[in-house]
Structure formats: structure tokens, C-alpha cells
Amino acid sequence: MSSYFEHRRGVAAVAAGLAAIAAPLALGSPSLAQGSRDSDGDGMPNRWEVAHNLNPHKANGRADADKDGLRNLGEFRRGLDPRDQDSDDDGDDDGDEVTDGSASTDPSDADTDDDGTLDGDEDADHDGVDNEDEDDATEPCVADDEDTDSDGVDDEDENEQGTDPEDADSDDDGTDDGNEDADQDGVDDEDEDDVSGDDCSTADEGEDDDDNASEPGNDGDRTTASGSRVVWYAVV
């Protein structure tokens, strides 16, 4: 028969074992604690900020690293990339998809309604203008659509023209897509969307950066002389 003291030792051993199991659950395992640590208190874990080249020691949740109209914190909450204006590569910027409403377009799903048409090419409000073009009239160059392959044609325009937004020379003919004339109208593809006052038509801004005044359809690489300020808004 076990002595009283042996019984007490057995009870103590069981209690110690249970405590060892309960401790990680109560305090969180080291890996979980590290993954959820938020040194600057901006709502975004350190690990996520570091992975997306943000400063985990500076509160920057309200900043907009990729200038797509959606704040960094909003990108985190929705599982998007704060360094990519168009996380799902559907031609529609993340910020625009959020403000358009999730019923019609989802910034993490390139084809929200699964109808075979990318969200950027849809016309949610049936006004004759594709979703990806809705904001172009008021978008300053700093917040304009990306040109992933630096060929002078924005990703959304390449989507419409049928060229590859990640290949500067989609048909491998030695001429960058921006200097092609897909519709043979005498205007290079990189100039198709240029209008008077288009801030992104200036040199060194990523679009039309190889133009000169003698090129067909070129806008002269003018700078904006009006001094007007275009305001864009970031949402969370």
C-alpha cells in the first residue's frame, strides 16, 4: 500500500505536469508572442511590417506606402500587399476596389463574380467606363497605376491591350510595348491615354519617359504649369 507521502508526491507530479501544459496556453508560445508583437502600437505586427519593408518601430498604420488610396493598416487587415497598388493584378487599384464596395469587387480576388472578366474590366456602375479607368481623371502621377515592366504602359492599359504587364516586350520583336502601336492609329501605346494636364505624361515619372516632341501622339513631355494640386484620399 502506498504511503501518505508517496501519494502526495504523485499528486504533486501530476499538478506540475498540468502546469507545464497550461503555461504556454496562458502566456502564448514564444513563436506566437513574437509573431503578434507590435512594437510601435500601430496595429500591424512587427513580423508583417518587416516582411513588407515597413518600419516596425515607427507607427505608420495611417501611411500609404504604395499610394493606392488604402492605408497600410487597411492593407494588413485585408491581407493585401502594402507595396503593391494592385494586389490581385486585376487592373483595379486596392484603394479603388475597397471604395467601390466588396459586393462588386474584392481587392484580394481578381475576378470577384467568377464570370471570366477581371474586376478591372468590369463596369460596376454601368456608366460605360471600366472600373480600372474610373479614377484616372483625378489621379496624380504619384498615385497613378503601376508599370511593373517599365515599358511606358500602365499595367491596367496593358490588360486592355492584351499585352503582358510583366514583360516589357510582350511579342519579343525588339520594341518595347510602349513604343508599339497596337491599333495602328499613329499613336504609340504609351501615349494612348494621355490627355491635356496628364501629370504622368512628364518625363522621369515612369510613363512616356522616352518620348520626344517629334514622336507621333507625343504630348511634348510637358510639365504641369498650372500649379494645381490634385488631392487623393487614403482609406483604411
Side-chain angles (χ1 to χ4, degrees), residues 17-37:
L18 292 174
I21 295 173
L25 297 177
L27 301 177
S29 66
S31 60
L32 290 176
Q34 179 66 27
S36 60
R37 185 178 301 164

Side-chain angles (χ1 to χ4, degrees), residues 77-124:
R77 289 173 174 171
R78 293 173 173 83
L80 305 175
D81 185 347
R83 293 289 182 180
D84 187 345
Q85 293 178 337
D86 181 10
S87 295
D88 57 6
D89 297 320
D90 62 359
D92 205 3
D93 289 349
D94 295 342
D96 296 326
E97 294 208 59
V98 170
T99 56
D100 284 345
S102 59
S104 62
T105 180
D106 181 344
S108 62
D109 186 345
D111 183 8
T112 303
D113 57 9
D114 298 319
D115 65 350
T117 300
L118 295 177
D119 292 343
D121 293 329
E122 301 271 11
D123 179 12

Side-chain angles (χ1 to χ4, degrees), residues 128-233:
V129 180
D130 289 349
N131 294 340
E132 64 185 8
D133 296 318
E134 286 285 347
D135 66 337
D136 286 352
T138 59
E139 208 169 44
C141 194
V142 69
D144 203 34
D145 302 286
E146 291 180 310
D147 178 12
T148 300
D149 54 11
S150 302
D151 61 358
V153 186
D154 291 337
D155 293 353
E156 68 173 35
D157 294 326
E158 293 216 54
N159 181 5
E160 291 181 344
Q161 295 168 5
T163 51
D164 186 347
E166 296 185 354
D167 185 349
D169 182 9
S170 298
D171 56 7
D172 298 318
D173 65 351
T175 301
D176 282 355
D177 295 339
N179 293 321
E180 302 270 11
D181 180 12
D183 55 9
Q184 299 181 341
D185 64 350
V187 180
D188 287 348
D189 292 346
E190 65 182 2
D191 299 314
E192 285 288 344
D193 66 345
D194 287 351
V195 295
S196 177
D198 182 358
D199 291 348
C200 294
S201 65
T202 60
D204 78 15
E205 294 291 359
E207 183 183 61
D208 311 329
D209 55 4
D210 62 350
D211 282 351
N212 57 65
S214 64
E215 285 188 50
N218 175 48
D219 49 28
D221 282 346
R222 60 181 172 275
T223 57
T224 304
S226 64
S228 60
R229 177 168 173 254
V230 181
V231 180
W232 57 277
Y233 299 90

